[in-house]
Structures are given as C-alpha cells and as structure tokens.
Amino acid sequence: MDIRQIDEVEHRVSLDLLREWTTNTSRREVGEVFPLGDPWTSLAETLLHAGFGAGGFASAGGSGAPPCVGSPLEVEREVRRRLVLAYLSQSDEVVNAIIETKLARNQPFRMVLGPDFTRAKQGWSWYLCCLTICVGEGLEPGFARMLLDEVDLWAIADCLQVGFYVSQLLQPELRVQPSSGDTPRANVHLIHHRGLWAPVLGRRPPEREAKQLVSSVVELRRSVLGACPGASGKLLEGGGVAGYVVRHDDKEDLYLVDLGEQRILVDRTHIARLLYHPSKGISADAPSATA
C-alpha cells in the first residue's frame, strides 16, 4: 500500500513511520510525549535534552530571567513567556506580517481567529494571552490552547539563539536558524507530520545501528558538497555522491568518508543510504555512477 493511502486512513501510523525512519537514518532516539504528538511538549523535551534546562536559559535571549530548571513544563512555560514578549516587542508593521504569515500557513490559527486579516488583528492580544497557557495547565472559560507553528519556531530561534531541524513526511525538511546569522547555541531536532510532533533526543551509539557503516560504500546527499567547501565526487544517477566510510569519530560523532580525491567528515544525516557492505554485497537498488 502506498504511504499516502496509509496516511489518509491514520496520521499516527505515518508518524510512527517517520519516527522509525528518523531513528534509522540519523541514529537518534525519537521520544514519545503526552498528549501524543503535542508540539509544545516535544519542543520542551528536545530543548531540555540540548541543555536548555538548569542554567540553560540564563544567558539565552539576554533577558536576564532566572534559569528554568527541571521539567518540560517549566521549559515550556519559559519558552512561551519569551515568545510572547518577542511578539509584543515588534512594531505594528512586523505584527501585521506575522499575522498574515500565520493566516497563510497555519490552519488552526485561521480557524480560531477567523480567515480574514482584520478579524485576526482584532484578536491578536487575546491570541497572545492564550499562547501563554501551557499544555499541563487548566484552561479558563473564554480561552483556547494554541498550537506551535513555523512562525513561532523562527521567533523562538531568535529568542533562544538555537537552530531547529524538523524532519517531515511527504514534505521537505524544515531548517530554522537565528536571523542574526550568529552560530546557534545548540541545534535541536524534531519530527512533524500533519500537526503531530515528537522530540529527537540522544544519539544511538554506532554499535546499535542495524547496518554498520564503517568499511562500506554509501551514497551521500548532494547537499554535502555545499556544506563542505571544495568537496567533490562521482555523482550517482539519483544526484547523490558515492563515498567510502573510513572510520567513525566517536568524539565528534562524525564519519570520515573518502570521496576518491579527498576525505571529508560528515554527519549521519548526510548519508542517504548504503550501497555496498563487505558482509552484504551490493545493494539491490544501488544506482550507477556517472562521469
């Protein structure tokens, strides 16, 4: 059955497929949250794992607020607080642009605040109040829970000076970096499918991977050529680059890959698939190289 047919029947099955794919390709554990697929809890969990917990918020964002410690709820509360303050500090022109972007990209936002800009602008202050309500907190009459969206991620990236990498099913991956251009204090990974989210947490040690990559021939994503200046190699039919995995750097958790004329260090996410392994032979779907 085609994955799109499965997705039409049950989104949660698709999320499990994305979870399994992310675990196998990035060699990271994908956590589970309650409520299932909740974006804010997923965000808090992955930020906690990245070190934004005890003392982690003390310098991020520069507000001088006391550090958030301990639980995902405390992290969520602090992130929401900083996000709302960031929205409140914007000029009217920027707020208008934020609302227009949310209306264009966020269906729940349109459903709650209305489909037109005028109505959404009138409800903006109410929306910001709702945005401060955490998942585990009670909901007063007249208020609603607000979901996390892409616009919020961009704002949070600036507030905390963190980068976000979001793996998605049937959609391109999403990469969010601080608009300042500064190096992020941390890069965190989430998975997302049709409003369902999950945190990507710790790395799985190489020995736990189903297929050992050292001493194998792999296909690197073509994007690695742009990420590694001067890198070049044989392009495959699918557009990737073939390389031989020399060793794994345990300290940096990077793979040293030989491209023929040079060697480069790459992250596991840059490796698209296994082409050949001494114990497995040539992969059945391995593409041929082009000059």
Side-chain angles (χ1 to χ4, degrees):
M1 183 180 289
D2 185 88
I3 191 171
R4 289 178 175 81
Q5 293 176 300
I6 297 175
D7 189 51
E8 288 300 321
V9 176
E10 180 53 79
H11 301 339
R12 289 175 294 183
V13 174
S14 299
L15 182 69
D16 287 338
L17 291 174
L18 178 58
R19 183 193 307 275
E20 185 67 21
W21 179 86
T22 302
T23 298
N24 291 332
T25 57
S26 66
R27 214 181 67 249
R28 290 179 179 270
E29 302 287 355
V30 180
E32 295 187 11
V33 298
F34 181 81
L36 178 66
D38 179 69
W40 288 102
T41 307
S42 298
L43 175 65
E45 289 279 7
T46 193
L47 284 172
L48 265 176
H49 193 81
F52 287 91
F57 285 98
S59 57
S63 72
C68 184
V69 296
S71 71
L73 177 58
E74 291 173 305
V75 173
E76 179 190 348
R77 185 177 292 123
E78 177 67 6
V79 171
R80 286 177 180 270
R81 185 186 73 84
R82 288 173 180 261
L83 175 61
V84 170
L85 287 176
Y87 284 153
L88 287 171
S89 68
Q90 303 303 316
S91 66
D92 195 60
E93 181 181 3
V94 172
V95 169
N96 291 344
I98 291 172
I99 293 174
E100 288 174 348
T101 305
K102 282 180 174 284
L103 285 172
R105 301 184 183 182
N106 185 343
Q107 183 178 4
F109 183 85
R110 293 196 303 272
M111 293 174 63
V112 172
L113 290 179
D116 62 274
F117 173 82
T118 301
R119 183 175 173 183
K121 182 65 179 292
Q122 291 172 346
W124 181 245
S125 296
W126 173 82
Y127 171 79
L128 294 183
C129 289
C130 293
L131 202 56
T132 65
I133 303 172
C134 295
V135 175
E137 297 177 335
L139 194 63
E140 296 291 333
F143 291 90
R145 299 195 187 280
M146 297 300 166
L147 298 177
L148 181 75
D149 62 28
E150 182 181 339
V151 180
D152 297 330
L153 278 183
W154 282 102
I156 293 169
D158 283 341
C159 291
L160 304 182
Q161 286 298 296
V162 297
F164 292 103
Y165 171 55
V166 183
S167 298
Q168 303 187 99
L169 192 66
L170 306 176
Q171 292 186 30
E173 63 192 30
L174 174 64
R175 293 183 181 270
V176 178
Q177 295 290 308
S179 60
S180 64
D182 296 335
T183 301
R185 297 177 183 273
N187 286 290
V188 298
H189 191 174
L190 295 155
I191 65 172
H192 167 251
H193 180 66
R194 290 188 183 244
L196 298 174
W197 298 70
V200 182
L201 305 174
R203 292 183 181 274
R204 304 173 69 195
E207 60 270 16
R208 290 181 57 187
E209 252 192 319
K211 295 181 178 179
Q212 291 291 313
L213 295 177
V214 176
S215 301
S216 66
V217 179
V218 298
E219 177 182 348
L220 300 180
R221 303 183 193 281
R222 192 167 186 175
S223 59
V224 76
L225 299 182
C228 303
S232 62
K234 282 194 172 183
L235 294 181
L236 303 172
E237 287 179 348
V241 181
Y244 174 78
V245 181
V246 179
R247 62 180 174 83
H248 177 262
D249 187 323
D250 294 330
K251 183 178 180 181
E252 299 295 333
D253 197 17
L254 297 173
Y255 289 90
L256 181 65
V257 179
D258 192 330
L259 299 180
E261 297 181 357
Q262 64 192 130
R263 293 182 173 186
I264 60 174
L265 286 168
V266 301
D267 186 83
R268 179 61 180 85
T269 57
H270 286 135
I271 300 176
R273 55 177 164 167
L274 179 70
L275 300 180
Y276 171 82
H277 191 279
S279 66
K280 301 288 183 179
I282 298 176
S283 174
D285 60 349
S288 59
T290 59

